[in-house]
Amino acid sequence: MKSLTHCDCEGSGACLCRPFSVMDDAVQRLAEPFDLAALDAEGSTLALVNKMGSILWVNAAWHAFGAANGAKAAAIAPGVGYFEAVQGELRSWALGAATRSTASGEVFESDYECSSPTEKRTFRMRMLPLPGGGLLIEHSLRLEVPHADVGAAPDLATYRSDGGLIVMCSNCRKVRRSDKSAWAWVPAWVAAQPERISHGLCFVCLEFYYR
């Protein structure tokens, strides 16, 4: 598979660039050597993604995590573009990692932070290239502890830029102060994002996770 943005299956009679039903035989063939029934019972969240970047199948843990964290079912269901949910500067990074993994046949791994309003959480993502094309993408919880500092009520003037935007780190979800002097943890904006929000990467996450 050369990229995640080109389909060369037209006319082949076996295109795997469209979404399938949960246990479709074609999806099972693409998932080989894995068994979808066994993957569905895994505690880690799992998604089978085709070479166009569309989600073909997700396991029960994927649905449970989405429901527990306020995700709309339609936004994480088969047929949705997996990388559409990756925000800000991380989207091109994630697409590049996926393309390299599928081209080389090598597993890609990376740790990242995705905290909730009450708990600090870190995960490990693995992209496993499949012989039939596409990827099995796994997210495993590595750390989950209560936040030591739940933070004060947010002051919009402290964080809104001259252009009227609030900039949140795509990785750790801290928010940049309007004077750009620091990034702060604002739990209320993890639970419900403010209006006119943009996404970037704070210096720590950029240097530690993505350099």
Side-chain angles (χ1 to χ4, degrees):
M1 184 172 79
K2 295 181 179 179
S3 75
L4 296 178
T5 57
H6 172 69
C7 173
D8 54 9
C9 300
E10 289 90 340
S12 68
C15 180
L16 293 175
C17 297
R18 59 182 176 83
F20 294 88
S21 60
V22 173
M23 298 300 283
D24 191 290
D25 288 343
V27 176
Q28 178 60 75
R29 290 195 299 272
L30 181 61
E32 292 177 352
F34 299 101
D35 177 72
L36 289 182
L39 293 179
D40 196 47
E42 279 289 316
S44 299
T45 61
L46 296 164
L48 184 65
V49 177
N50 67 13
K51 65 182 181 180
M52 297 294 288
S54 296
I55 297 173
L56 299 184
W57 173 92
V58 295
N59 70 344
W62 179 281
H63 285 295
F65 183 85
N69 288 272
K72 295 181 179 179
I76 59 173
V80 174
Y82 176 89
F83 298 97
E84 292 176 11
V86 183
Q87 299 170 327
E89 299 174 40
L90 290 186
R91 182 175 296 174
S92 60
W93 173 87
L95 275 168
T99 299
R100 290 191 298 273
S101 180
T102 53
S104 66
E106 297 181 355
V107 175
F108 175 81
E109 296 188 56
S110 179
D111 292 341
Y112 66 96
E113 183 176 340
C114 182
S115 296
S116 73
T118 57
E119 295 172 315
K120 176 180 174 64
R121 303 184 303 203
T122 58
F123 295 81
R124 170 158 292 180
M125 176 181 66
R126 291 199 301 164
M127 296 182 179
L128 294 87
L130 301 170
L135 296 163
L136 181 66
I137 303 180
E138 175 190 43
H139 298 268
S140 301
L141 181 66
R142 301 195 70 196
L143 174 73
E144 186 174 45
V145 295
H147 287 296
D149 179 12
V150 297
D155 174 18
L156 285 172
T158 302
Y159 300 102
R160 200 175 289 284
S161 69
D162 291 340
L165 294 176
I166 291 173
V167 181
M168 178 179 284
C169 178
S170 297
N171 189 66
C172 70
R173 305 205 214 180
K174 287 183 179 178
V175 181
R176 189 177 68 190
R177 294 176 62 92
S178 57
D179 61 6
K180 302 183 181 180
S181 63
W183 295 69
W185 175 248
V186 185
W189 288 345
V190 176
Q193 293 186 357
E195 295 181 357
R196 301 201 65 192
I197 192 166
S198 181
H199 290 88
L201 284 171
C202 71
F203 177 77
V204 173
C205 287
L206 176 63
E207 294 297 319
F208 186 79
Y209 291 106
Y210 301 107
R211 289 295 191 192

